[in-house]
Amino acid sequence: MDIPSDRKCDNILFIYDIACDKRRRRVVKILEGYGIRVQYSAFEAYINQKQYKNLVKQLLPEFNFKEDSLRSYVLYSPAKVESWGRECVQLADTIIF
């Protein structure tokens, strides 16, 4: 995925499903270096294109794509993020780029 170069940073949602606990812990450790955990298998990161490419480069070797999956969603402006329930964490109520 390429983030348009005219954008400085984007809010990106990463969602994963990893079968192996050991691989999952490694992926979580990598994602924690770029963003915040918003659900058990979901992280939000406010990063630029270079950071995104570096992150994906670190993540992909950790996955067994016959058992695991990884998705990323770029939340373009104006993106409205709302959360409800236990320990809701979010970067901002409304994100405008």
Side-chain angles (χ1 to χ4, degrees):
M1 171 191 311
D2 282 333
I3 299 169
S5 59
D6 63 329
R7 303 176 72 81
K8 298 235 186 252
C9 290
D10 281 296
N11 189 26
I12 302 178
L13 176 64
F14 291 91
I15 300 174
Y16 57 86
D17 185 11
I18 303 171
C20 170
D21 289 340
K22 186 176 180 181
R23 286 195 308 269
R24 186 179 316 108
R25 282 190 297 273
R26 289 193 305 249
V27 165
V28 166
K29 189 83 162 164
I30 293 167
L31 286 167
E32 285 176 335
Y34 288 85
I36 58 171
R37 186 179 230 156
V38 293
Q39 291 283 320
Y40 183 73
S41 297
F43 276 80
E44 283 184 30
Y46 188 67
I47 55 179
N48 62 35
Q49 184 166 351
K50 183 178 179 183
Q51 291 169 314
Y52 176 83
K53 288 181 179 182
N54 288 336
L55 175 53
V56 170
K57 186 177 179 179
Q58 291 176 53
L59 287 173
L60 292 183
E62 302 297 336
F63 281 81
N64 175 340
F65 288 100
K66 292 184 179 187
E67 298 179 357
D68 307 331
S69 65
L70 172 67
R71 297 177 70 99
S72 68
Y73 298 87
V74 178
L75 305 176
Y76 290 113
S77 179
K80 183 165 176 67
V81 178
E82 296 181 311
S83 301
W84 299 270
R86 182 180 57 87
E87 297 180 27
C88 291
V89 177
Q90 56 195 47
L91 296 175
D93 290 334
T94 302
I95 300 161
I96 300 173
F97 304 99

